[in-house]
Amino acid sequence: MSWTQTIFEVIDMRSFSNLWFWIALAVVWSTASHWVLGVPFDMLTRARKDGGEARQDLEDIVRVNVNRILHIAGVSGLILLGFVCFVLTALAILGFVYDVEFAQALFLIGFPMSLVGALSIRTATVIRRADPEGEELDKFLIRHRQYTQFIGMVSIFVTALWGMWQNLDRSYLFNAF
């Protein structure tokens, strides 16, 4: 047996049994819930607590990011939508029809993140239309973060169930019966 075969037997390189996949999943969702429309959540808590200049900074950065998100969606939204749908469809077919575990893992991260992207565009549209300030703006941002966290919790739960099933299905003990 060569040294590469030994390494690949000792360190399982499949996605769902790999610690690095689960670390990446946790980082993706913690980052997504921390950055609300491109604004760090600690900036919102500081603006709520201190007010004044912190509040003005929050409103300015939200305005800039809302305009940026809506500009990107308006200019290249259809192209991005087509590309994201193509990639997600390719990952779904590779993963669930052809049983490529890496594609399954990427799909289980990418699909819920595309929902968060759509939610961000929707929230940016609502914020631009309502033009909220102060506590009303806080409510929009907090609600967006809560929806993102809910999507993340469901995504992590489904990914964990699917990963456990894949690990059991590919284990020697499970297939012995």
Side-chain angles (χ1 to χ4, degrees):
M1 184 181 296
S2 72
W3 66 274
T4 55
Q5 288 174 327
T6 306
I7 288 174
F8 282 111
E9 275 196 26
V10 172
I11 302 172
D12 193 2
M13 300 304 275
R14 293 179 300 140
S15 298
F16 296 114
S17 60
N18 194 329
L19 178 63
W20 291 109
F21 168 75
W22 297 104
I23 291 172
L25 184 71
V27 167
V28 163
W29 284 110
S30 65
T31 303
S33 67
H34 178 69
W35 291 87
V36 181
L37 294 179
V39 179
F41 193 73
D42 60 287
M43 192 173 190
L44 173 64
T45 56
R46 193 180 69 212
R48 292 181 80 182
K49 186 179 77 170
D50 297 342
E53 187 178 343
R55 167 65 58 195
Q56 188 61 44
D57 289 346
L58 174 72
E59 290 176 1
D60 289 342
I61 198 166
V62 168
R63 180 184 46 78
V64 167
N65 284 336
V66 162
N67 289 337
R68 182 181 60 85
I69 289 169
L70 293 178
H71 176 74
I72 291 169
V75 170
S76 59
L78 286 176
I79 294 170
L80 283 175
L81 179 66
F83 180 72
V84 167
C85 288
F86 170 76
V87 169
L88 289 175
T89 302
L91 287 174
I93 290 171
L94 282 172
F96 300 106
V97 175
Y98 292 106
D99 203 31
V100 177
E101 190 173 314
F102 186 68
Q104 292 173 0
L106 289 179
F107 179 82
L108 290 171
I109 293 175
F111 178 71
M113 286 305 294
S114 68
L115 296 177
V116 171
L119 178 66
S120 295
I121 293 171
R122 179 186 164 275
T123 304
T125 303
V126 170
I127 287 176
R128 177 179 285 167
R129 190 176 302 130
D131 196 25
E133 294 179 355
E135 289 185 23
E136 187 180 359
L137 177 63
D138 296 348
K139 289 179 185 177
F140 282 114
L141 296 175
I142 290 169
R143 190 175 312 123
H144 177 81
R145 183 174 194 232
Q146 289 171 340
Y147 289 153
T148 301
Q149 288 175 331
F150 177 75
I151 293 170
M153 286 188 308
V154 171
S155 171
I156 291 170
F157 180 73
V158 168
T159 303
L161 287 179
W162 185 258
M164 285 187 283
W165 172 254
Q166 291 298 96
N167 287 336
L168 284 174
D169 188 45
R170 285 170 170 66
S171 72
Y172 298 112
L173 182 62
F174 193 70
N175 289 324
F177 298 106

